[in-house]
Amino acid sequence: MADEPTKILLDESELPTHWYNVVADLPAPPPPPLHPGTHEPIGPDALAPLFPMSLIEQEVSGERYIEIPEAVREVYKLWRPSPLYRARRLEQLLDTPARIYFKYEGVSPAGSHKPNTAVPQAYYNAEAGVTKLTTETGAGQWGSALAFACAQYGIDLEVWQVAASFAQKPYRASMMRTWGARVHASPSELTEAGRAILAQDPDSPGSLGIAISEAVEAAMADEATKYALGSVLNHVLLHQTVIGEEALKQLAKVGEQPDLIVGCTGGGSNFAGLFFPFLREKLAGNMDPHILAVEPAACPSLTKGEYRYDFGDVAGMTPLMKMHTLGHDFIPDPIHAGGLRYHGMSPLISHMYELDLFEAEAIDQMTSFEAGVTFARTQGIVPAPEPTVALAAAIREAQACKETGEEKVILTALCGHGHFDMAAYDAYFAGELRDYDYPEAKVAEAMARVPVIAG
Ligand SMILES: *Cc1c(COP(=O)(O)O)cnc(C)c1O
C-alpha cells in the first residue's frame, strides 16, 4: 500500500506529440452538416467566414493522427502533462476494493480542460492573420480559457456570457478581463439575436444557444473577426485527446487498465478527450473498458434527446448538425452545472452513441453535489459542478464493488475545479438546491420547432 503512488506524473518530454482523430477508426464518418437554408450538405468553404482553414481541415479530417504544433506544445507545457491521481482516500471512505483514478484538468490556468483546445484554436487563428475572435461562454470556463489563449497570441476577444452565470459568477468575467477580453451578459442589446430575446423576455436568464447566436452574429458582421467554439465540434474533441493519451501512459506506468471509464457530457469534449484514445485500444483488442457518459437529468440530450438534424444555436444561424437534441430553443432549468446546459450533443459523440460505442445515463443535481462534497472532503479538491455527475456514477460503481468484491479499475476525468462555483456549494449547504424533473413538456414544445429534413 505504502509504495502505491497517489499521483502519477509524466515528464514534459512525455507530452503527446499528436492529437488522435477517432473518425479514422469508425466504420462510417458522422453525417455531414447541412446548410441552414438549403438543407444541402455544406463543404469546408461554407465554414470559412467563421473559422480559419487549418481548423476546418481538422474538422473534416480522416487522418488518424494530427501533429501538435511546437508553438502549441510550448504553451501546453505551462500546465501539461496534467496529473493522474489515485483517489485512495475516497476509496478508503467507501471501503471499496475498486481502484479509482482521476485525471485532473483543473491544473490549467483557467481551471478546466478547455485550454487544451483554446490554445490551438487561438494559435491557428493567429497563424491565419486573424486579430479578433468572438465566443460565448456558459459557466465561464470556455470564455476564460479562450481569453488566456488569446493573450498568448495577441488576439482581441469579445465574449457573450450566459446572463444567469454572469450574475452567479462575477469573478469568471473578472478573470477574462484580466487576460484582456471584453465580456457581455447574454442576451445583450449588442446583437439582433440578443435584442429579439430581450423584447420577449427582458429578464431572460440566457442560454448557450442564445449566446452562440450573438457571438456568431458579431463575427459574421466583421470580416476581420472569426469565431471560436469550446465544445461540440470535431476539432475541439480532437484537441482534447491529449487528456486520454496522457492517461493511457500514466495508467500503463502503474500497470493498470481501466474496467470503467466514466465522464460528464455537456457538449462532449472532455469525455471524448478522455475516452477516444482508450476506445482506439479497445477496438484494437488491447483492453476492454466499459465506457459511460453521464449527463444532468435536467438537460439529458443523449439519453432523452432525439437523434436528428438541428441548429447549434437559438436563432438558427449555425449549420444544421445531426445530433442528439432537446430542440435548439430549449432553455434548460438553471442547474449549477452550467457547462452541461446545452440543448444538443456533439455530432461525433451522437454518431458514436448510435454505433453503441459507449453507454449513457442521467443523474440529478442533488446526488451530484453530494458526490462533489464527498470527493472534496476526502481528496481535497473542490470539483466544478459539471464533473460531479461523473463522480456520482463512479462512487456508485465503487460502492457496488464493495458488494461483489470486484477490484474494478475506475477512471474518470476531473475536468475542472469549482473555485468559481462556491455560491453553488453555499446554495447546496443552505438547502436551496433541488432536483429538476426532466422537463418533458418544454422539450416537446422545443422539438416541434426543429426543422424537418427531407430524406
Ligand atoms: C465546459 C465544461 C464542461 C462541459 O463541456 P464538455 O464539452 O462536455 O466537456 C464540463 N466540465 C467543465 C469543467 C467545463 O468547463
Side-chain angles (χ1 to χ4, degrees):
M1 192 82 178
D3 55 359
E4 286 182 19
T6 297
K7 54 187 184 302
I8 303 136
L9 304 174
L10 296 177
D11 290 338
E12 275 183 20
S13 62
E14 294 171 283
L15 184 72
T17 56
H18 291 74
W19 293 300
Y20 166 57
N21 181 10
V22 75
V23 173
D25 289 323
L26 298 182
L34 305 181
H35 187 277
T38 66
H39 297 181
E40 293 297 321
I42 56 168
D45 287 351
L47 296 171
L50 290 180
F51 304 107
M53 210 30 92
S54 42
L55 286 175
I56 296 172
E57 280 163 13
Q58 292 182 357
E59 188 61 24
V60 299
S61 173
E63 289 286 316
R64 181 170 282 107
Y65 292 102
I66 294 175
E67 191 168 4
I68 306 174
E70 198 46 47
V72 170
R73 297 179 81 237
E74 283 309 313
V75 179
Y76 274 174
K77 284 177 189 169
L78 293 175
W79 74 96
R80 305 208 72 83
S82 68
L84 179 76
Y85 284 88
R86 168 92 181 267
R88 199 103 55 71
R89 301 181 69 80
L90 177 62
E91 292 169 16
Q92 282 162 7
L93 178 84
L94 301 175
D95 190 23
T96 174
R99 298 193 290 283
I100 305 172
Y101 291 89
F102 65 95
K103 179 74 168 157
Y104 186 41
E105 292 295 312
V107 292
S108 82
S112 77
H113 64 292
K114 297 276 194 338
N116 296 334
T117 184
V119 171
Q121 289 195 49
Y123 166 78
Y124 288 117
N125 273 289
E127 203 193 25
V130 174
T131 55
K132 183 175 166 187
L133 286 174
T134 65
T135 198
E136 72 292 327
T137 192
Q141 289 275 18
W142 169 240
S144 35
L146 193 62
F148 154 71
C150 284
Q152 306 313 305
Y153 302 102
I155 297 176
D156 286 338
L157 175 65
E158 202 164 351
V159 182
W160 275 263
Q161 181 172 6
V162 174
S165 114
F166 189 82
Q168 273 170 3
K169 304 197 213 180
Y171 297 128
R172 272 284 166 201
S174 312
M175 198 177 195
M176 292 181 238
R177 287 185 205 107
T178 303
W179 279 312
R182 277 196 293 155
V183 193
H184 316 289
S186 167
S188 76
E189 295 284 354
L190 299 166
T191 65
E192 288 278 331
R195 287 190 292 271
I197 299 283
L198 287 173
Q200 285 170 18
D201 178 7
D203 299 321
S204 168
S207 71
L208 266 176
I210 296 170
I212 293 175
S213 292
E214 294 203 270
V216 168
E217 185 185 322
M220 298 289 267
D222 176 12
E223 212 167 314
T225 300
K226 293 210 184 291
Y227 165 77
L229 190 62
S231 185
V232 173
L233 298 180
N234 296 353
H235 67 268
V236 178
L237 277 48
L238 173 81
H239 299 154
Q240 292 296 351
T241 57
V242 289
I243 301 173
E245 293 290 13
E246 288 178 6
L248 259 177
K249 284 189 203 168
Q250 286 162 311
L251 281 180
K253 277 197 180 204
V254 288
E256 296 270 46
Q257 285 193 350
D259 297 302
L260 170 67
I261 299 174
V262 55
C264 70
T265 49
S269 75
N270 87 84
F271 175 61
L274 178 69
F275 94 88
F276 283 1
F278 287 91
L279 180 70
R280 175 187 67 216
E281 300 305 314
K282 181 173 177 169
L283 294 174
N286 298 329
M287 54 176 70
D288 193 23
H290 182 78
I291 302 167
L292 179 64
V294 190
E295 55 187 10
C299 192
S301 52
L302 265 179
T303 53
K304 293 277 176 79
E306 263 183 70
Y307 183 53
R308 61 187 278 188
Y309 276 101
D310 196 5
F311 297 109
D313 69 320
V314 166
M317 286 190 289
T318 68
L320 287 158
M321 295 176 289
K322 193 160 187 186
M323 60 183 177
H324 288 85
T325 179
L326 299 168
H328 59 276
D329 60 7
F330 168 67
I331 298 185
D333 287 315
I335 52 165
H336 282 274
L340 308 183
R341 286 179 76 230
Y342 184 58
H343 69 271
M345 180 50 60
S346 146
L348 179 53
I349 289 286
S350 295
H351 174 64
M352 291 170 70
Y353 188 55
E354 292 298 306
L355 292 172
D356 286 330
L357 292 171
F358 65 91
E359 287 172 35
E361 67 170 88
I363 288 189
D364 61 62
Q365 174 159 265
M366 295 302 277
T367 309
S368 307
F369 266 86
E370 190 188 334
V373 171
T374 301
F375 187 86
R377 290 184 181 172
T378 47
Q379 294 300 130
I381 298 168
V382 179
E386 290 84 359
T388 63
V389 298
L391 288 175
I395 287 174
R396 183 196 62 210
E397 294 297 316
Q399 278 165 336
C401 289
K402 188 179 173 182
E403 308 301 315
T404 60
E406 229 182 322
E407 293 185 21
K408 241 186 214 176
V409 174
I410 300 173
L411 171 65
T412 189
L414 189 60
C415 52
H417 66 62
H419 297 179
F420 292 83
D421 300 280
M422 298 320 300
Y425 280 89
D426 275 344
Y428 173 71
F429 294 125
E432 288 162 14
L433 287 201
R434 63 178 184 94
D435 288 335
Y436 293 93
D437 287 335
Y438 171 61
E440 198 167 349
K442 249 168 72 177
V443 170
E445 218 181 282
M447 288 306 293
R449 289 184 292 268
V450 173
V452 177
I453 309 294

